Every structure is written in C-alpha cells, then in structure tokens.
Amino acid sequence: MKVELFVPCFVDQLYPETAFNTLRLLEKSGCKVEYNSKQTCCGQPAYNAGYWDEAKEIGTKFLNDFSENTYVVAPSASCVGMVKGGFNDLFTNTIVHNKCRTLQSNIWELSDFLVNVAKKDYFGAELEGKAVYHDSCSALRECKIKDEPRQLLSKVHGLEMLEMEDTDMCCGFGGTFAVKFDAISSAMAEQKVNHALAQNADYIISTDLSCLLHLQGYIDKNNLPIKTMHIADVLCNGWLESTEY
C-alpha cells in the first residue's frame, strides 16, 4: 500500500533518526512510502497558543501538502491529534471542509497504523533492559491509542516491559504550558521519572518525542540512570544499522 510520511517539524529538526526509522518500519511492513519535502508543520504550536488565524494558514498548507486518498503516517500522536481534532475548529464549514474530513480519516500515528492497518507487530528488534511505557495525553485521549504500542513492544527481544504508576498522567510538557508554568511542568516531569525509576526501568518509551524531550531534559539535568526512547527507535534497534537513506 502507498503511504505518505508526515515528519513533524520538531522531529525533522531535533530527531531526524526517528523519522528515518519510521520510514524503515513502514517499508519493512510492505508499504511504498512517499515524502513531500515541502511539508512543514501542522500548525499545533500556533493553535495551542491561541493564534488560530496563523494556525489556519499553516493548516491550509498542510492540507495542500498531502493527498486525500492516501494513508498519511506520522511518528507523533500529538500532531496526528491536532489534525484529527484541532482542524475541526479551523476548517469546519469552510471551502476545504470535505478535504479536511477525508484527510482526518486517513492520518494515523505510527504504532496505530502498524498494528491496525498494516497488521504487523513483529520487526525482529532487540533491546536489553527494562522499560516502562508512557501514555502521552495526545495518544491516549485524542487518538485513543493504548494497547497498540504495548503490543509492539512486547515483541522486542530482551526487553522487559513494566507498568509504572500513573502511566496515563501527563508528563508536564503540554507545549507552551512548559514555558508558562515551568515550575509545575518540572514537578510533573519529576513525578513521571520517579515512577519509572521505582520500577528500576532503564528506558521510558513513548509515541511522542515532545514528551520524551521534556522528560529527557529533566533526566539530564539531574544525571539520572534512565533514558527515553521513541517507539520507532526501539522497533528498529538491532537491525538496519547499516542502511543509509
């Protein structure tokens, strides 16, 4: 099947290897992947900050960058949630209403797509250690994703998955929330990391690099013996290291 890859702007700038790993996973699932190099942002930062006119302008570009009749897959439940939910506020009863609705039905977060569309949950990945999975707010509440990442991670050789306390609680990032309410945001990150450490976990894994960026910042600041990993990076660990794109 043909898939269009959506790489969120912050993934492109800060975590390009996760984007390449997303491509590798889709290709290993039998997908023919297309990438529009003109794509930029879904408009979520402006939308969350209340700049809806600017978000609508960026969102319009997003609608033009992707086709209506092809699966669109992204390694970010946050951005997928923006398209599925936030675009309702921006484009309902506009001239692009129908195009928006069609694209909303075709866009998928990576783990959701692999399990429920590609019907593939084993990739021969290997990762030694213990890990906890962090349910991001966007994945759990906006995209209704809970079991799919756990199903994928349960098939990783050498990885022991554990459930931490309050796994579905926010990590404290929340986009501009982390800037406007930094003390609260940091305290929430501390709580999340402490719950992971209580399980003697080596890794915190999630679908969302925005959450992991926030948590890794707290971990690095306090020199804690734990590491964050995006699920795409975990599922490619132990294979394809020599593949170049």
Side-chain angles (χ1 to χ4, degrees), residues 43-70:
Q44 183 178 190
Y47 175 82
N48 287 345
Y51 294 96
W52 282 21
D53 289 339
E54 290 81 357
K56 188 173 183 179
E57 181 178 353
I58 300 170
T60 299
K61 182 182 185 305
F62 182 93
L63 293 176
N64 291 329
D65 285 340
F66 295 93
S67 59
E68 298 176 59
N69 302 314
T70 306

Side-chain angles (χ1 to χ4, degrees), residues 142-202:
E142 295 180 1
C143 300
K144 312 303 180 186
I145 297 168
K146 184 175 180 66
D147 295 332
E148 291 83 357
R150 291 172 169 82
Q151 181 176 334
L152 290 161
L153 293 170
S154 70
K155 304 294 180 67
V156 176
H157 296 288
L159 187 63
E160 180 182 356
M161 292 301 302
L162 305 165
E163 286 292 331
M164 62 178 164
E165 184 180 354
D166 295 331
T167 182
D168 58 351
M169 293 291 288
C170 179
C171 68
F173 179 62
T176 55
F177 177 86
V179 178
K180 295 179 179 179
F181 305 98
D182 61 314
I184 299 174
S185 176
S186 296
M188 295 172 73
E190 178 183 17
Q191 182 183 55
K192 177 67 66 171
V193 172
N194 283 342
H195 285 330
L197 290 172
Q199 296 292 330
N200 294 317
D202 302 297

Side-chain angles (χ1 to χ4, degrees), residues 6 18 58 66 79 109 127 135 146 210 213 227:
F6 167 40
T18 300
I58 300 170
F66 295 93
C79 295
E109 181 274 329
L127 182 64
D135 289 285
K146 184 175 180 66
S210 50
L213 172 69
K227 178 184 178 181

Side-chain angles (χ1 to χ4, degrees), residues 2-52:
K2 186 170 76 171
V3 169
E4 294 185 40
L5 176 61
F6 167 40
V7 179
C9 49
F10 71 98
V11 176
D12 177 64
Q13 295 296 311
L14 301 176
Y15 301 99
E17 188 60 25
T18 300
F20 285 119
N21 282 336
T22 300
L23 170 61
R24 291 165 179 140
L25 289 166
L26 291 172
E27 288 183 337
K28 194 162 187 177
S29 298
C31 298
K32 178 182 178 182
V33 184
E34 296 183 356
Y35 175 76
N36 181 355
S37 61
K38 295 182 179 180
Q39 63 178 271
T40 53
C41 177
C42 64
Q44 183 178 190
Y47 175 82
N48 287 345
Y51 294 96
W52 282 21

